[in-house]
Amino acid sequence: MFRISINDKSFSCSEDNNLLKAARSQMVKVPYGCASGGCGMCKVKVLHGDYRMDMYSKQALTNQERENQQILLCKTYPLSHLEINLMKERVK
């Protein structure tokens, strides 16, 4: 299990669970929309840590955004502890 810190909140996540599902299951409010990599609502910036991403829509996350360490919570799996910064204040 890895420790995921998002702004002032933290939760645990295994490497076989995506960050969005782990956050929601532990009652950590994060922004999301479609939860399938298509809308970009769950876009955040990784400050520290390693991760892997599944397939997602290029409209939801551009190559330039990805190069700037931005990820989609719904399509990202941790490979280490992560420190993340929310890019939007809107949460569900």
Side-chain angles (χ1 to χ4, degrees):
M1 288 291 227
F2 298 111
R3 183 171 162 246
I4 313 303
S5 298
I6 298 181
N7 291 9
D8 62 342
K9 308 230 188 297
S10 64
F11 60 96
S12 58
C13 185
S14 64
E15 66 183 61
D16 60 345
N17 201 6
N18 73 54
L19 298 175
L20 178 61
K21 283 183 186 176
R24 292 187 64 211
S25 73
Q26 295 170 63
M27 308 308 243
V28 175
K29 292 185 178 190
V30 293
Y32 70 96
C34 70
S36 63
C39 72
M41 289 286 297
C42 65
K43 192 181 307 176
V44 296
K45 183 173 177 97
V46 174
L47 303 175
H48 299 288
D50 297 317
Y51 55 88
R52 70 175 176 84
M53 288 188 69
D54 272 352
M55 298 289 290
Y56 58 90
S57 168
K58 295 292 182 187
Q59 294 172 331
L61 184 71
T62 67
N63 288 336
Q64 183 178 4
E65 288 171 326
R66 184 152 183 197
E67 288 170 9
N68 289 327
Q69 302 296 32
Q70 293 178 35
I71 62 167
L72 300 175
L73 291 173
C74 67
K75 290 296 182 175
T76 302
Y77 299 79
L79 298 175
S80 72
H81 300 302
L82 292 173
E83 185 178 344
I84 295 171
N85 188 32
L86 288 179
M87 299 181 62
K88 297 180 181 184
E89 292 303 318
R90 188 172 152 220
V91 294
K92 285 191 173 189

